[in-house]
Amino acid sequence: MSRADDSQKRRREILAAALHCFHAHGYEKTTLADIRDRAGASIGSIYHHFGGKEQIFAALYLDAIAKAQSFNLRALRRARTLEQAVHGLVRSYLQWVNTHRELAGFVLTMRRAEFMQDAEEDLERINRKFRKELDDWLAQYDDGRLAGIAPDILFALLIGPSEEFARRWLRGKTTTALRRAANSLAEAAWLSLSGLGGRGR
Amino acid sequence: MSRADDSQKRRREILAAALHCFHAHGYEKTTLADIRDRAGASIGSIYHHFGGKEQIFAALYLDAIAKAQSFNLRALRRARTLEQAVHGLVRSYLQWVNTHRELAGFVLTMRRAEFMQDAEEDLERINRKFRKELDDWLAQYDDGRLAGIAPDILFALLIGPSEEFARRWLRGKTTTALRRAANSLAEAAWLSLSGLGGRGR
Amino acid sequence: MSRADDSQKRRREILAAALHCFHAHGYEKTTLADIRDRAGASIGSIYHHFGGKEQIFAALYLDAIAKAQSFNLRALRRARTLEQAVHGLVRSYLQWVNTHRELAGFVLTMRRAEFMQDAEEDLERINRKFRKELDDWLAQYDDGRLAGIAPDILFALLIGPSEEFARRWLRGKTTTALRRAANSLAEAAWLSLSGLGGRGR
Amino acid sequence: MSRADDSQKRRREILAAALHCFHAHGYEKTTLADIRDRAGASIGSIYHHFGGKEQIFAALYLDAIAKAQSFNLRALRRARTLEQAVHGLVRSYLQWVNTHRELAGFVLTMRRAEFMQDAEEDLERINRKFRKELDDWLAQYDDGRLAGIAPDILFALLIGPSEEFARRWLRGKTTTALRRAANSLAEAAWLSLSGLGGRGR
DNA sequence: GATGAATGAGCATTCATTCAT
DNA sequence: CATGAATGAATGCTCATTCAT
């Protein structure tokens, strides 16, 4: 393994350790000593690779959002009708939660703090890219069914219930199995969106 | 004003100051000095009344949940049909968010930490009471329309979109007015719930 | 019971509570809240009767020393020979330890702090009185047997072993019964003192 | 000088500063700021090396006991008769007090607190080792002269007077010179022990 | 006399960050 | 690149003492 590979490996070890600690105890309660112990790296090494606690958080956060969006976009691209798109997005969101529990819990719990503004423009760029692709898809496939729904309402109906369910599911506070819930939540999202948009609202 | 009244007043001042600080900067970043300055009380007085930062948080959290639930229950009691109940709960939730923005932001943002487990039983008691009244109402008015929907799904559909919208609205990230959104979200909740339950699922 | 009696009773309750706390946890670790809880009095009342933590300590300390000395002097007065006096003092010291364990532990453990200097002159007066009576007794009964022994050595031999034993006994670190130990320690004190003084040293 | 040497040096500087402060003002009244100022180290450095005030105390206490015992054992090993051993131990104890006044004052004054129980097992181990060597020596050299004396009485007679004298000497409350006192106390210890044991008690 | 809320100086401890080796 | 000793500002909390009721 080359020097650069070693370096990348160390970086990933630190990120994985930080993810676990942030998720388990929160940003503030996590100390660099916690991360150091879990990563098996030295304080100095952590600083060498990231420059500080905030940057570790930002790297983690950006990475999580980017991966989740990219995962969801893959589902969108497969859809050929509006209903397929709604079903696909809800399902892919919950599938991502299922396969990346720590990352999902991290994103759903963490308060986006002020210091994130250093990385806020990266975040904005990512979000714009996602929204652009979503809009382009709708421009091609939407027959006007959803056009009347304000974007903030649309987003709330599309992802709100799944997010709420995921929050509780990750805390072990649910009884319904995730796969079964995905069916209901996907169908419900389509029911509310199509019903609401149907009347040209 | 009696001594006991003074004491209660001081307690409320501290709670109000703490609410503002926790909401504005988060639990960890809020220092007792912040609360003291805002409350116009001394450190000693704060400790005399609450015993510590964590207890202030717990008192605030319990109070917020209790007030929100009691507000929502009033809306439920007025309903005479399932549709009225769903509409009423969504609207009352958003109305509460509108009139208690700090408290709502506090509840929606704060991570329920480990130390809350000291007050967790109080929280459980409150939640049981709320759920009991909800179940009793449904037992009386539900004609079987919602019976087939698992409670965790039902809750997610009822409140998930409104919560998601409220989160963004409180951060100033929405364009739709709250009252207008309430109409759409109430109707959407009913669409998804009645549609999902309609088929005896 | 008269008002003055009530007051005295309250005073004694506070002193008893303070003795227990000081003995159990030490002066610094004992808080006025501890004493208040144990005495069943209010903070204000404690201040009314004593004026502060230090004064409680001083009152307790002076009282303990005075009582112990008075108890030992009674034994001295009964003696008619040097040997009787040595035996009597050792035994009476250990008997006092036995019957006033908390008080004895308190005196043996407490560091006479700087603030005691406020009460230091009272302490000096008490000690002078004790020493005076001891000297007077020796002037009458000593045939020169102990005259050659320096007072600080004499005191160390008379009371040192008993004090050391008492320290361990109070901590439960001894196996010999106190009464049995008193016999040995009294005899040993006489052996060392008479032996040392015998040769006109 | 290597990094490890520097580290050890810093550790010793902190211990020396702490010894002085604890001895001069007591454990509770000594602040970490006092120790920091005297040691010329930073607060962080103190915590890096010891982890807290209590651990500094424990390290100091264990070290003091260990050194004193080792010093006394050297005297014991030189003795070839019981009388030599008693004289040797009393003299070596007082000599140690003379050459390590702060350490001796520290050990004689400090209240062994609850938190010491963390280090209590180390203390027990040290004490067992000391007692073992003492017993072994007696098994070899005692002709039965001391066999009848209970260990707690023996210890009290051997060291009690010297300890009592040392306490007062360290506070400047004695008139007899230490060396002269050592003669008397050594002889007195032998007088009481040989006299008491002589009759097979 | 009794009460207990209010006060605030003082303290141990934490922890991100730096930097010499 | 790795290491970990050193730093010190920041902070939650304690507790003796005061005083209005």
Side-chain angles (χ1 to χ4, degrees):
Chain A
M1 205 188 293
S2 76
R3 284 263 214 115
D5 285 339
D6 276 351
S7 191
Q8 277 306 307
K9 184 163 166 260
R10 176 51 56 96
R11 234 186 97 95
R12 276 196 306 274
E13 286 164 353
I14 294 169
L15 280 177
L19 170 59
H20 178 85
C21 295
F22 286 154
H23 179 236
H25 312 115
Y27 177 78
E28 310 279 356
K29 285 248 220 158
T30 294
T31 70
L32 284 180
D34 293 335
I35 298 174
R36 174 201 60 194
D37 292 343
R38 202 177 167 86
S42 68
I43 289 288
S45 188
I46 295 175
Y47 270 85
H48 178 75
H49 284 291
F50 290 94
K53 194 179 168 185
E54 300 189 347
Q55 284 99 319
I56 302 176
F57 182 92
L60 224 37
Y61 196 85
L62 281 178
D63 192 49
I65 299 290
K67 278 184 181 154
Q69 290 184 344
S70 134
F71 189 80
N72 289 329
L73 282 181
R74 279 203 286 279
L76 179 68
R77 291 188 201 115
R78 281 194 298 270
R80 288 297 167 261
T81 67
L82 265 182
E83 186 170 1
Q84 280 175 11
V86 168
H87 273 258
L89 284 172
V90 169
R91 284 170 203 282
S92 94
Y93 176 76
L94 287 171
Q95 190 183 335
W96 184 76
V97 168
N98 188 31
T99 49
H100 300 80
R101 300 180 194 190
E102 269 194 335
L103 217 47
F106 172 76
V107 171
L108 284 172
T109 315
M110 286 302 130
R111 180 188 177 75
R112 229 146 60 266
E114 309 79 53
F115 59 78
M116 272 297 291
Q117 288 176 338
D118 299 347
E120 196 79 4
E121 56 183 57
D122 294 294
L123 192 58
E124 285 296 337
R125 190 159 36 72
I126 287 177
N127 283 335
R128 264 197 306 277
K129 181 170 163 292
F130 179 78
R131 189 157 299 212
K132 173 93 165 49
E133 189 154 347
L134 188 60
D135 289 345
D136 288 352
W137 190 95
L138 286 173
Q140 188 176 356
Y141 292 99
D142 185 11
D143 52 0
R145 198 88 200 259
L146 304 186
I149 307 178
D152 41 22
I153 300 291
L154 191 151
F155 191 76
L157 292 174
L158 183 63
I159 227 60
S162 297
E163 207 171 286
E164 171 64 24
F165 185 86
R167 263 180 227 276
R168 301 180 83 89
W169 183 78
L170 286 166
R171 276 195 280 139
K173 300 278 190 184
T174 52
T175 54
T176 306
L178 191 65
R179 193 167 294 268
R180 193 169 187 45
N183 288 332
S184 301
L185 292 167
E187 192 175 344
W190 176 243
L191 280 168
S192 60
L193 285 168
S194 59
L196 212 59
R199 274 166 286 162
R201 184 182 294 254
Chain B
M1 203 187 294
S2 79
R3 270 231 271 181
D5 286 339
D6 276 352
S7 194
Q8 278 306 308
K9 184 163 167 259
R10 176 51 57 95
R11 236 188 95 96
R12 276 197 305 275
E13 287 165 352
I14 294 168
L15 280 177
L19 171 59
H20 177 85
C21 295
F22 286 155
H23 180 237
H25 313 114
Y27 177 79
E28 312 280 357
K29 289 253 224 152
T30 295
T31 71
L32 285 178
D34 293 336
I35 297 174
R36 175 200 60 196
D37 291 344
R38 202 177 168 87
S42 68
I43 289 287
S45 190
I46 295 174
Y47 274 86
H48 180 73
H49 285 290
F50 290 94
K53 194 179 169 186
E54 299 189 348
Q55 282 102 316
I56 303 177
F57 181 92
L60 223 38
Y61 197 85
L62 279 178
D63 193 49
I65 299 290
K67 277 183 181 153
Q69 290 185 345
S70 133
F71 189 80
N72 289 330
L73 282 180
R74 279 202 286 278
L76 180 68
R77 291 190 200 112
R78 282 193 298 269
R80 288 296 166 264
T81 67
L82 267 182
E83 185 168 2
Q84 281 175 12
V86 168
H87 273 259
L89 285 172
V90 170
R91 283 170 202 284
S92 94
Y93 176 77
L94 288 170
Q95 189 182 335
W96 183 76
V97 169
N98 188 31
T99 49
H100 300 81
R101 299 182 193 189
E102 271 192 334
L103 217 46
F106 173 77
V107 171
L108 286 172
T109 315
M110 286 301 134
R111 177 190 179 76
R112 224 145 66 267
E114 307 83 51
F115 59 78
M116 272 297 291
Q117 285 176 338
D118 298 347
E120 196 79 2
E121 56 183 58
D122 294 293
L123 192 58
E124 286 296 337
R125 193 161 35 73
I126 287 177
N127 283 335
R128 264 198 304 277
K129 182 170 164 292
F130 179 77
R131 191 156 296 214
K132 172 91 167 51
E133 190 154 347
L134 189 59
D135 288 345
D136 288 350
W137 191 95
L138 287 173
Q140 189 177 357
Y141 292 99
D142 186 10
D143 52 0
R145 200 85 200 260
L146 302 186
I149 307 179
D152 42 20
I153 301 290
L154 190 152
F155 191 77
L157 294 175
L158 185 62
I159 227 61
S162 297
E163 207 172 286
E164 172 65 25
F165 185 86
R167 262 179 228 277
R168 302 179 81 90
W169 183 77
L170 286 166
R171 275 194 281 141
K173 299 280 192 181
T174 53
T175 54
T176 307
L178 191 65
R179 192 169 294 269
R180 197 177 208 349
N183 288 333
S184 301
L185 291 167
E187 193 176 343
W190 176 244
L191 280 168
S192 58
L193 285 169
S194 59
L196 213 57
R199 274 165 287 158
R201 182 184 293 253
Chain C
M1 202 188 292
S2 76
R3 285 265 214 111
D5 286 339
D6 276 351
S7 190
Q8 277 306 308
K9 184 163 167 260
R10 176 51 55 96
R11 236 187 95 94
R12 276 197 307 275
E13 286 165 352
I14 294 169
L15 280 177
L19 170 60
H20 178 85
C21 295
F22 286 154
H23 179 236
H25 312 115
Y27 176 79
E28 311 280 356
K29 284 249 221 155
T30 294
T31 70
L32 284 180
D34 293 335
I35 297 174
R36 175 201 59 194
D37 291 343
R38 201 177 168 86
S42 69
I43 289 287
S45 188
I46 295 175
Y47 270 85
H48 177 76
H49 284 293
F50 289 94
K53 194 180 170 186
E54 300 189 348
Q55 283 99 318
I56 302 176
F57 182 92
L60 224 37
Y61 196 84
L62 280 177
D63 193 49
I65 298 291
K67 278 184 180 154
Q69 290 184 345
S70 136
F71 189 80
N72 289 330
L73 283 179
R74 279 203 287 280
L76 180 67
R77 291 188 201 115
R78 281 194 297 271
R80 287 297 167 264
T81 68
L82 265 182
E83 186 170 2
Q84 280 174 13
V86 168
H87 273 258
L89 286 172
V90 169
R91 283 169 203 282
S92 92
Y93 176 76
L94 288 170
Q95 189 182 335
W96 184 77
V97 169
N98 189 31
T99 49
H100 301 79
R101 300 182 193 188
E102 268 193 336
L103 217 47
F106 172 76
V107 171
L108 285 172
T109 315
M110 287 301 131
R111 178 189 177 76
R112 226 143 67 267
E114 308 80 53
F115 59 77
M116 273 296 291
Q117 287 177 336
D118 299 347
E120 197 79 4
E121 54 183 58
D122 295 294
L123 192 58
E124 286 296 338
R125 190 159 36 71
I126 287 177
N127 282 336
R128 264 198 305 277
K129 181 169 164 292
F130 179 77
R131 190 156 298 212
K132 172 91 165 49
E133 190 155 346
L134 188 59
D135 288 346
D136 288 351
W137 190 94
L138 286 173
Q140 188 176 356
Y141 291 100
D142 185 10
D143 52 359
R145 199 86 200 259
L146 304 186
I149 307 178
D152 42 21
I153 301 290
L154 191 151
F155 192 75
L157 293 174
L158 184 62
I159 227 59
S162 297
E163 207 171 287
E164 171 65 24
F165 186 85
R167 263 179 227 277
R168 302 179 82 89
W169 183 78
L170 287 165
R171 275 195 282 140
K173 300 279 191 183
T174 53
T175 54
T176 306
L178 191 64
R179 194 168 292 270
R180 197 175 205 359
N183 289 331
S184 301
L185 292 167
E187 192 175 344
W190 177 243
L191 280 168
S192 59
L193 285 169
S194 60
L196 214 58
R199 274 165 285 160
R201 184 182 294 255
Chain D
M1 204 188 293
S2 79
R3 271 231 271 181
D5 287 339
D6 277 351
S7 194
Q8 279 305 309
K9 183 163 167 258
R10 177 51 58 95
R11 238 188 94 94
R12 276 197 306 275
E13 286 164 352
I14 294 169
L15 280 178
L19 171 59
H20 178 84
C21 295
F22 286 155
H23 180 237
H25 313 115
Y27 176 79
E28 312 279 357
K29 289 252 224 150
T30 295
T31 70
L32 284 178
D34 294 335
I35 297 174
R36 174 201 59 195
D37 291 345
R38 201 177 168 87
S42 68
I43 289 288
S45 190
I46 295 175
Y47 273 85
H48 181 74
H49 284 290
F50 290 94
K53 194 180 170 185
E54 299 190 348
Q55 283 100 316
I56 302 177
F57 181 91
L60 224 37
Y61 196 84
L62 280 178
D63 193 49
I65 299 290
K67 278 184 181 154
Q69 290 185 346
S70 133
F71 190 79
N72 289 329
L73 282 180
R74 279 203 287 278
L76 180 69
R77 290 189 201 114
R78 281 193 298 269
R80 288 295 166 263
T81 67
L82 267 183
E83 187 169 1
Q84 281 174 13
V86 169
H87 273 258
L89 285 172
V90 170
R91 283 171 202 283
S92 96
Y93 176 77
L94 288 170
Q95 188 182 336
W96 184 76
V97 169
N98 188 32
T99 48
H100 300 80
R101 301 181 192 189
E102 272 192 334
L103 217 46
F106 172 78
V107 171
L108 285 173
T109 314
M110 286 300 134
R111 178 189 179 75
R112 223 144 69 267
E114 306 82 51
F115 59 78
M116 272 297 292
Q117 286 176 338
D118 298 348
E120 197 79 3
E121 55 182 60
D122 295 292
L123 193 56
E124 286 295 337
R125 193 162 34 74
I126 287 177
N127 282 336
R128 263 197 305 277
K129 182 170 164 288
F130 179 77
R131 191 156 295 215
K132 173 90 166 50
E133 190 155 346
L134 189 59
D135 288 345
D136 288 351
W137 190 94
L138 287 174
Q140 188 176 357
Y141 292 100
D142 186 10
D143 52 359
R145 199 86 201 258
L146 302 186
I149 307 178
D152 42 21
I153 301 291
L154 190 152
F155 192 76
L157 293 175
L158 184 63
I159 227 61
S162 296
E163 207 171 286
E164 172 65 25
F165 185 87
R167 263 178 228 277
R168 301 180 82 90
W169 183 77
L170 287 165
R171 276 195 280 139
K173 300 279 192 182
T174 53
T175 54
T176 306
L178 190 65
R179 193 168 294 268
R180 193 171 190 38
N183 288 332
S184 302
L185 292 167
E187 192 175 345
W190 176 244
L191 280 168
S192 59
L193 284 169
S194 59
L196 212 56
R199 273 167 286 159
R201 185 183 292 254

